[in-house]
Amino acid sequence: MIAFKNISKSFGKTKILDQLNLELLKGQSIALIGPNGSGKTTLIKCLLGLVVPTSGKIQIEGVNTIGSWLHRSNIGYMPQIGRYPDNITVMQLFEMIKEVRKDTYTKLDEELLHSFDIFKFENKTMRSLSGGMRQKVSACLAFMFDPEILILDEPTAGLDPISSEILKEKLKKELTKGKLVLITSHILSDLEELTDKIIYLNEGKIVFFKKVEELKSETGSINLSKAIARIMELQNNLS
Amino acid sequence: MRKFENKLGNQHRNQIEGSGTFASAILLKHDDPSTIKMRTSTKKYLLLRLLKYVLLDILKNRMVLFYTLFLLATSFGLFSMSGDPTKGIASLLNIVLLVSPLLSLIFSTIYFYNSYEFIELLSAQPIQRKTILYSQYWGLCISLIVALVIGLGIPLLLFAPGKAALSLLIVSCGLTMAFVSLALLAALLTRDKARGIGLSLLLWFYFTFIYDALMLMIMFAYIDYPMETLTLTMISLNPIDLARVIVLLQLDVSALMGYTGAMLQDLFSSGKGVLLASGVMLIWILAPLRLAIKLFNKRDL
């Protein structure tokens, strides 16, 4: 469904993504992991068109996305740090985004608005919201337009345990509908629950792209965090 | 909460009722073709929808209100001080040529940097970057032009209605559009807010003072040669000078401007001259804007 072809991105002299090739299929639930600064967020932003790659192609269903905009109507994106206009209220924000996307969505999915009880603070301005509340708003926006592709950048980082569970349940539900889900997180236990494939990114290159089960059996570990820890150790020893 | 849900309901209904064309192959395919109801976004309406939010946001900013009040006070003051409307327009011209480019530049640059979150949010939505930038541009232009029409247009209509007043108003609107466009360019040239504002100030300084000094130096150096074409070219290269000449020529004071003045008078009193001036002004509006869009399309957010 999504194909990255020879994607490179440098900011000035630092190379963030280096000749990266990747193909993601429909119905997959993929975890994107790697150390800080390995290019996870940049990769996601390239897909969205927020960052323009230095070279390479990104295709969704064979259609080039770079410089295009319509593909974004099929992506739900939850940013790592959701930044919103200060003076707008939560309700105004939702109304605005709905109005802006009016032509490109078919179905509204407002389940999360109810399960997060957004209506409780719908008249607060975005400025006055706490980090966790903002995360909830970001999550609602990502799921709201029933997209085929869901991209969540550190979704559970600022959420309390209950909200985190709500989000995970929602994600699982969407996964059963055959959507493509891409999650970055440092909380590996969350990822183990939600994803079936792992992409390990380091210094802008893909170290491996494997099934969770495969990883576990290769390293002889019982859970994902141990398996990843083992791999990271091996990597350090090599370099 | 009920209100909220009602609104949602309405939107849903509108969506189902509203007819639209089916999206092209760019859209991803759903499993069942009958569920494909996505529509190609009608860009113009999208721009208008965004514009609404930008304008509402600018209205919350008191700067435009102060600008309007300042213009009103200055115009009323100048016209009531000098009994002669021509003199009033001439003094007003000098103030407007100084203030409106400055305010357009600084206000637009600051506004653009401050709406970074808004721009970032919209960039992740199915909207062309171009549309986002246009919404900012038109929002700024419309609000500043409304300020000009109220603050300048009303006093002009009351005290000195006529061709000169009209040309002053039109010219200042044109200047505002050109300088908002330059401001967006300056804001996109650098990521740092302080530097961006510095750059706008520099642009203003250049067009208001430095350019004129250079022009005088050149004219002084070539004082023995015929200067018509050179003067005309140099005037065209600075929107503020162009604006000044257009209005002054409506005031019948060109006799004070010597032989070149007579030539300019001759040119601008014909339709050809007006067409030329409008053309040059249009270039000053469009060129920086096009460049800004180019930069914005390549911008990493």
Side-chain angles (χ1 to χ4, degrees):
Chain A
M1 192 173 193
I2 305 176
F4 293 86
K5 290 176 179 166
N6 286 320
I7 287 293
S8 293
K9 175 70 193 176
S10 7
F11 290 111
K13 276 181 188 162
T14 38
K15 256 194 172 169
I16 306 291
L17 297 175
D18 190 7
Q19 297 281 317
L20 188 137
N21 282 294
L22 187 62
E23 198 161 347
L24 311 175
L25 301 174
K26 211 177 166 185
Q28 281 180 335
S29 168
I30 301 148
L32 185 58
I33 58 174
N36 296 113
S38 56
K40 295 174 303 248
T41 301
T42 308
L43 185 68
I44 286 174
K45 285 191 168 181
C46 281
L47 177 58
L48 273 162
L50 290 176
V51 167
V52 187
T54 318
S55 65
K57 266 197 225 170
I58 302 174
Q59 294 179 330
I60 298 184
E61 307 249 304
V63 182
N64 263 324
T65 66
I66 294 168
S68 153
W69 53 280
L70 213 50
H71 72 283
R72 285 196 282 263
S73 62
N74 236 325
I75 301 178
Y77 169 55
M78 180 175 170
Q80 194 170 5
I81 305 154
R83 295 203 289 181
Y84 299 100
D86 272 345
N87 293 322
I88 198 167
T89 68
V90 177
M91 189 172 86
Q92 282 170 342
L93 177 75
F94 284 127
E95 290 298 324
M96 182 177 86
I97 300 295
K98 263 186 244 166
E99 201 181 335
V100 161
R101 294 180 70 142
K102 204 153 74 178
D103 309 304
T104 48
Y105 72 84
T106 43
K107 205 179 111 195
L108 271 182
D109 178 358
E110 284 169 331
E111 194 189 337
L112 270 185
L113 282 171
H114 295 278
S115 27
F116 278 151
D117 226 350
I118 298 283
F119 303 103
K120 244 187 197 164
F121 54 89
E122 66 176 42
N123 289 322
K124 280 195 178 177
T125 58
M126 290 309 291
R127 190 213 312 262
S128 63
L129 295 193
S130 73
M133 285 155 122
R134 273 169 200 246
Q135 284 280 90
K136 286 183 188 173
V137 171
S138 300
C140 290
L141 281 178
F143 286 93
M144 187 172 261
F145 302 99
D146 195 30
E148 301 273 281
I149 302 164
L150 280 163
I151 302 175
L152 311 173
D153 199 351
E154 303 272 355
T156 51
L159 293 179
D160 60 66
I162 299 168
S163 313
S164 179
E165 275 316 306
I166 292 172
L167 185 61
K168 279 193 262 177
E169 285 312 310
K170 177 68 183 164
L171 251 178
K172 281 180 198 162
K173 200 170 159 189
E174 294 303 305
L175 271 170
T176 59
K177 294 181 192 163
K179 294 188 172 178
L180 172 61
V181 177
L182 188 65
I183 311 172
T184 79
S185 181
H186 292 294
I187 308 166
L188 296 172
S189 56
D190 279 357
L191 291 178
E192 189 168 14
E193 224 180 298
L194 294 168
T195 57
D196 44 49
K197 286 192 115 182
I198 305 272
I199 301 172
Y200 188 88
L201 207 64
N202 195 16
E203 289 176 1
K205 283 183 175 158
I206 291 171
V207 180
F208 60 78
F209 180 21
K210 279 177 183 160
K211 282 194 174 150
V212 176
E213 299 309 317
E214 242 176 282
L215 265 179
K216 281 189 203 164
S217 61
E218 268 174 31
T219 53
S221 314
I222 31 161
N223 61 28
L224 186 62
S225 24
K226 290 224 169 97
I228 299 292
R230 184 82 40 95
I231 288 162
M232 282 174 116
E233 260 170 48
L234 283 173
Q235 282 243 315
N236 281 339
N237 290 344
L238 281 176
S239 62
Chain B
M1 180 160 159
R2 188 173 293 157
K3 200 173 106 203
F4 193 90
E5 279 170 329
N6 271 343
K7 268 197 178 164
L8 298 182
N10 278 335
Q11 197 132 44
H12 231 65
R13 236 167 288 137
N14 288 343
Q15 226 232 317
I16 293 158
E17 282 162 11
S19 63
T21 43
F22 284 99
S24 55
I26 277 180
L27 286 172
L28 307 179
K29 290 167 199 101
H30 284 247
D31 290 335
D32 176 11
S34 66
T35 60
I36 308 174
K37 269 197 219 152
M38 295 193 172
R39 301 181 177 95
T40 43
S41 196
T42 33
K43 278 185 240 160
K44 265 185 206 157
Y45 294 126
L46 193 55
L47 179 62
L48 287 181
R49 271 179 248 158
L50 287 182
L51 196 56
K52 187 180 88 187
Y53 287 100
V54 176
L55 279 173
L56 280 175
D57 194 45
I58 295 179
L59 273 184
K60 279 186 208 155
N61 199 314
R62 283 195 205 114
M63 194 69 176
V64 181
L65 184 70
F66 284 137
Y67 180 45
T68 317
L69 291 178
F70 169 81
L71 286 172
L72 269 176
T74 319
S75 334
F76 274 113
L78 280 175
F79 278 122
S80 48
M81 267 198 305
S82 63
D84 182 11
T86 308
K87 260 190 200 163
I89 288 183
S91 346
L92 200 53
L93 172 71
N94 283 326
I95 290 174
V96 167
L97 289 186
L98 214 62
V99 172
S100 80
L102 179 66
L103 194 111
S104 307
L105 274 170
I106 300 298
F107 178 68
S108 307
T109 314
I110 294 176
Y111 184 78
F112 186 79
Y113 280 107
N114 287 351
S115 31
Y116 191 80
E117 281 90 14
F118 182 69
I119 291 168
E120 199 184 57
L121 174 69
L122 291 179
S123 300
Q125 309 300 328
I127 309 170
Q128 267 182 306
R129 290 241 181 136
K130 205 165 74 179
T131 314
I132 300 172
L133 199 68
Y134 274 135
S135 72
Q136 295 276 314
Y137 179 73
W138 286 112
L140 287 163
C141 279
I142 290 171
S143 51
L144 291 172
I145 284 175
V146 167
L148 277 174
V149 168
I150 296 172
L152 199 64
I154 291 174
L156 280 173
L157 191 69
L158 289 177
F159 290 100
K163 239 170 97 186
L166 190 68
S167 71
L168 175 59
L169 189 63
I170 290 174
V171 149
S172 43
C173 292
L175 267 187
T176 299
M177 287 176 75
F179 278 92
V180 171
S181 165
L182 279 167
L184 291 186
L185 181 60
L188 280 164
L189 277 172
T190 165
R191 279 179 169 274
D192 185 45
K193 188 174 174 180
R195 265 200 219 166
I197 295 169
L199 190 59
S200 317
L201 271 176
L202 206 70
L203 276 173
W204 178 74
F205 216 72
Y206 171 75
F207 284 123
T208 314
F209 301 113
I210 301 173
Y211 189 89
D212 288 353
L214 286 176
M215 191 164 149
L216 276 178
M217 265 165 63
I218 291 173
M219 290 177 100
F220 199 69
Y222 293 98
I223 200 152
D224 299 330
Y225 301 91
M227 301 279 292
E228 298 88 341
T229 331
L230 184 69
T231 319
L232 193 63
T233 319
M234 289 195 67
I235 286 172
S236 308
L237 288 174
N238 182 346
I240 298 179
D241 282 346
L242 187 69
R244 178 175 289 126
V245 168
I246 293 172
V247 179
L248 280 182
L249 288 173
Q250 304 296 329
L251 287 174
D252 294 325
V253 287
S254 55
L256 299 174
M257 296 197 288
Y259 185 64
T260 311
M263 188 275 295
L264 290 173
Q265 173 82 62
D266 194 40
L267 180 67
F268 285 107
S269 57
S270 69
K272 215 171 90 190
V274 175
L275 213 65
L276 182 81
S278 321
V280 172
M281 208 52 149
L282 210 62
I283 292 173
W284 272 110
I285 294 169
L286 291 178
L289 190 63
R290 287 299 285 274
L291 208 57
I293 287 171
K294 242 183 162 177
L295 286 175
F296 188 53
N297 277 335
K298 283 192 224 145
R299 177 64 97 72
D300 296 324
L301 293 164

